[in-house]
Amino acid sequence: MSPDPPHLRPVPGPASSAAATAGEGAAGNKWDGITRPRSRGGNARFLTDVIVDLGMVPRERVDAAIDTSRSGGVTPEAVLLERGEIDQISLSRAVAERHGLDHLDLTAFNVDMGAANLINTAAARRYDAVPVAFVGDRGLVVAMADPANVLALDDIALMTGYDVRPVVSSREDITGLVSRLTRLDDVVASTAQEAAEDDAEVVDLRESADEAPVIKLVNQIIAQAAEQGASDVHLASEGTQMRVRFRIDGVLKDTTTVPRRMVNGVISRIKIMAELNIAEKRLPQDGRVGLTIDGRHIDLRIVTLPSVHGEGAVMRILDKTAVVMELDKLGFLEPERVRFQRAFHQAYGAVLVTGPTGSGKSTSLYAALGELNTPEKNVITIEDPVEYELDGITQIQVNTRAGLTFANGLRSMMRADPDVIMVGEIRDREAAQIAIEAALTGHMVLSTLHTNDAPTAITRLIEMGIEPFLVASALDCVVGQRLARTLCPNCKTRTILSAEVLRNSGFPARMDIEAYDPVGCGRCGGSGYKGRLGLYEVMTITEEIRKLIIERSSADEIAASAMRSGMRRLREDGLEKVRQGRTSISEVARVTGTGIAEDY
């Protein structure tokens, strides 16, 4: 064990834990990232008072949060977090100050993994606490989100046999550390070593024990993907090995590789989970499986794909708890949100959401359904597949093998006295015709369409064979959208964007603007981004646009008319969010298909 460093020796008082001055020690020292509180021993101040004293939030805003918390049944700190007044790091600093404990920045601290693995991950998640370092012969520094949890301190002391010394870290950083306790590469190496004991390739796992190396590897890949917020897991055979990639915030990232001798076993295990035919390697197969990871339920949609290099698989992760289904939190600016809400709150008509695959169309519709789902309304959906189950709504799953298509399901829904109908996707003329007729006969119809922007949706419907006068009469609003990554608030850096470069790249800018660039840090995995928000264009169907539809005008003419009526295009919406510091200009250019010079 390492000797007790001078600034981590016990000090008098109940907070005789790790004490350090910020920046003390050489750069890269394992004790970097520790901040000493102003006072030792804590006091009886409310946490909100500490937040004000530290200058994080003005007193009047804190008082407003306290009033809101009394009526909402939540803590004032939760209200401040919800409103964006403070972040998790600021809150943890205030908690540390209140209790007279040190604050530990886990992104700058060199965690001793030997200490971290003294407790299991279930206990670490339960207590929001992780051991991070040894001190002396019997001391153990434990990073906690809630140092007032005396039960957690006692249990960790009993589990480890060490004298526990608490420090405070943000809940977000602790969660990230827990997910990294068992590194994926380490698991691959250990399971490969176990598999190497048998010269034969692992193919059929039906007779394998639960702790078989391949099963552990597949479980770890899925668990790590869920922890990192991945939407998809790609496993692609590349001859001698299998490449594993996670799609996080819409971008694929290499994660690890699976050794050749385990490739067939991994694919077989995935097939068994989804109840697919493990003997069929020539044809694609798809299935679905439900799993519980750390107490939360997730669904996996699995597709296997044969290729010239061998069989691969893609797993789509559907985690309902991680999906935001409230319009206010999706990224709508006020004008666009008001237009969208006004459209789907009408008694009848059609509202379409357009965009490529993975642009968040279904999430926008679910958010709209959440507002429409009241006891006075009968809401029915038909989807392929039903991604998220919603209480109070009748959801129908398309089953083409049984003859239940979008068109057939829509016909049946029309006889079930619906007020609101949601069609997962308009794929053909038949489904489009029924949806348009439903909108004309007194129903509110919500659906999605695969087009690049909102105006093109109108010409696409006409190209499908729907009469222009029906489209003009039924359609009330079309939303075009994309998903852009949001900048990491901990590492983004200020920059100035030249108006000339922006205009040359298709952005409507009249002057230079202040913006931010991604950098990369421990909290965002080095990408510079964390999370996503929507970019939107909301086209309300005006009388002028209805005339253009009947005249079969082009999408460009319809777009020009919509812009005269106040529609903001995707790039304009993205530029506004760049001005707000929420995303970067390069990210907006990436998702809208607009090139931009790199020397701005």
Side-chain angles (χ1 to χ4, degrees):
M1 297 183 184
S2 60
D4 198 359
H7 54 289
L8 277 180
R9 288 175 185 151
V11 297
S16 60
S17 61
T21 55
E24 189 168 346
N29 188 290
K30 72 172 292 182
W31 305 107
D32 284 352
I34 305 176
T35 305
R36 172 177 290 168
R38 296 177 181 179
S39 61
R40 286 286 171 188
N43 51 53
R45 288 185 299 168
F46 289 109
L47 185 54
T48 49
D49 293 333
V50 178
I51 290 173
V52 173
D53 291 345
L54 293 177
M56 295 177 178
V57 184
R59 167 58 69 182
E60 58 272 15
R61 294 184 185 175
V62 169
D63 289 342
I66 292 173
D67 293 338
T68 302
S69 69
R70 288 169 179 163
S71 59
V74 296
T75 64
E77 300 79 48
V79 175
L80 291 171
L81 284 170
E82 176 72 19
R83 293 177 176 177
E85 300 281 2
I86 59 173
D87 54 25
Q88 290 283 355
I89 301 168
S90 299
L91 178 60
S92 64
R93 290 186 184 278
V95 170
E97 183 67 29
R98 185 193 181 210
H99 290 277
L101 296 174
D102 297 319
H103 181 269
L104 184 62
D105 184 349
L106 290 178
T107 64
F109 186 78
N110 185 17
V111 176
D112 188 328
M113 297 309 290
N117 283 297
L118 285 176
I119 66 173
N120 58 52
T121 55
R125 290 191 177 93
R126 184 165 63 250
Y127 296 132
D128 276 328
V130 184
V132 294
F134 295 106
V135 179
D137 292 331
R138 302 307 310 161
L140 185 67
V141 179
V142 177
M144 306 183 69
D146 180 14
N149 190 344
V150 180
L151 177 62
L153 291 171
D154 291 343
D155 281 359
I156 293 173
L158 287 173
M159 282 187 283
T160 62
Y162 285 86
D163 297 328
V164 173
R165 303 181 180 184
V167 295
V168 181
S169 295
S170 75
R171 197 177 303 274
E172 186 179 44
D173 285 353
I174 291 174
T175 300
L177 175 58
V178 171
S179 69
R180 298 194 303 271
L181 284 179
T182 306
R183 301 298 298 178
L184 184 57
D185 287 337
D186 294 339
V187 174
V188 172
S190 63
T191 51
Q193 185 175 0
E194 293 176 38
E197 297 174 2
D198 185 359
D199 291 336
E201 288 189 342
V202 185
V203 177
D204 191 349
L205 300 180
R206 292 190 184 277
E207 305 301 327
S208 299
D210 287 343
E211 292 301 312
V214 172
I215 294 179
K216 289 194 293 184
L217 174 58
V218 172
N219 290 345
Q220 180 62 29
I221 290 174
I222 296 171
Q224 181 126 353
E227 286 287 352
Q228 295 185 12
S231 60
D232 301 87
V233 178
H234 291 244
L235 301 99
S237 295
E238 296 183 341
T240 59
Q241 60 188 11
M242 175 177 282
R243 183 185 184 190
V244 181
R245 293 183 292 171
F246 293 166
R247 186 178 293 279
I248 301 175
D249 293 336
V251 178
L252 279 172
K253 298 180 179 179
D254 282 322
T255 303
T256 189
T257 56
V258 176
R260 179 180 181 181
R261 65 173 59 252
M262 301 183 71
V263 169
N264 289 340
V266 167
I267 295 298
S268 294
R269 173 59 186 168
I270 291 172
K271 286 182 177 180
I272 290 170
M273 291 170 61
E275 298 183 349
L276 304 178
N277 182 2
I278 64 171
E280 179 57 74
K281 300 174 184 284
R282 301 165 299 172
L283 299 174
Q285 300 183 69
D286 61 89
R288 189 167 185 167
V289 61
L291 299 173
T292 299
I293 298 178
D294 299 328
R296 72 181 195 271
H297 180 80
I298 67 169
D299 284 331
L300 293 181
R301 286 163 50 190
I302 296 173
V303 176
T304 62
L305 298 169
S307 72
V308 293
H309 298 295
E311 202 169 13
V314 177
M315 295 185 283
R316 166 67 59 87
I317 299 175
L318 302 175
D319 183 358
K320 184 177 180 179
T321 61
V323 176
V324 176
M325 295 188 186
E326 298 177 29
L327 281 179
D328 291 339
K329 298 179 180 179
L330 292 181
F332 279 97
L333 296 177
E334 186 68 14
E336 283 70 31
R337 183 180 61 80
V338 170
R339 284 185 172 203
F340 185 36
Q341 285 180 312
R342 187 183 298 127
F344 68 70
H345 275 293
Q346 294 184 98
Y348 57 88
V351 175
L352 299 181
V353 181
T354 70
T357 300
S359 60
K361 300 186 297 297
S362 296
T363 302
S364 296
L365 289 186
Y366 279 130
L369 289 179
E371 293 193 13
L372 294 171
N373 184 20
T374 62
E376 296 80 21
K377 292 182 179 179
N378 180 23
V379 182
I380 307 178
T381 75
I382 181 164
E383 307 167 61
D384 184 21
V386 175
E387 295 188 358
Y388 303 105
E389 297 179 9
L390 305 176
D391 294 333
I393 294 178
T394 302
Q395 295 175 272
I396 301 172
Q397 168 77 51
V398 167
N399 188 341
T400 52
R401 294 179 181 176
L404 178 56
T405 62
F406 275 113
N408 293 339
L410 266 170
R411 289 194 187 94
S412 299
M413 290 162 60
M414 293 290 291
R415 296 190 291 270
D417 187 30
D419 295 296
V420 179
I421 294 172
M422 195 270 268
V423 185
E425 182 185 345
I426 293 178
R427 297 178 178 175
D428 52 40
R429 181 188 182 282
E430 189 176 14
Q433 184 76 34
I434 299 171
I436 292 294
E437 290 174 357
L440 291 171
T441 53
H443 305 89
M444 170 51 61
V445 178
L446 307 177
S447 189
T448 68
L449 195 63
H450 283 278
T451 61
N452 288 330
D453 57 19
T456 309
I458 293 173
T459 56
R460 178 66 54 82
L461 288 173
I462 295 174
E463 289 168 357
M464 282 183 173
I466 309 302
E467 291 295 333
F469 73 91
L470 292 178
V471 176
S473 301
L475 205 56
D476 288 313
C477 180
V478 184
V479 179
Q481 71 175 75
R482 297 289 191 279
L483 287 180
R485 292 179 293 173
T486 54
L487 287 164
C488 174
N490 300 293
C491 64
K492 63 182 181 181
T493 182
R494 182 178 175 274
T495 188
I496 299 295
L497 300 178
S498 162
E500 181 180 0
V501 172
L502 288 172
R503 286 194 299 271
N504 292 339
S505 301
F507 290 92
R510 297 179 180 177
M511 60 184 69
D512 297 353
I513 67 172
E514 179 181 323
Y516 291 86
D517 275 342
V519 177
C521 66
R523 291 190 179 90
C524 60
S527 67
Y529 298 95
K530 192 170 186 181
R532 288 194 287 180
L533 81 164
L535 308 182
Y536 302 95
E537 59 182 21
V538 181
M539 183 177 73
T540 302
I541 307 302
T542 62
E543 287 304 316
E544 182 181 350
I545 292 178
R546 294 187 198 281
K547 292 178 182 178
L548 292 173
I549 294 173
I550 293 173
E551 294 170 359
R552 296 179 181 265
S553 300
S554 67
D556 289 339
E557 292 176 290
I558 293 172
S561 174
M563 291 172 68
R564 288 193 296 271
S565 301
M567 183 184 77
R568 180 161 35 195
R569 300 310 301 265
L570 284 169
R571 281 174 291 189
E572 294 177 77
D573 188 59
L575 188 60
E576 181 59 32
K577 285 161 184 171
V578 169
R579 289 193 185 99
Q580 295 175 354
R582 302 171 71 182
T583 188
S584 69
I585 195 69
S586 58
E587 181 66 8
V588 173
R590 182 183 71 85
V591 300
T592 59
T594 307
I596 185 165
E598 297 183 359
D599 56 349
Y600 55 78

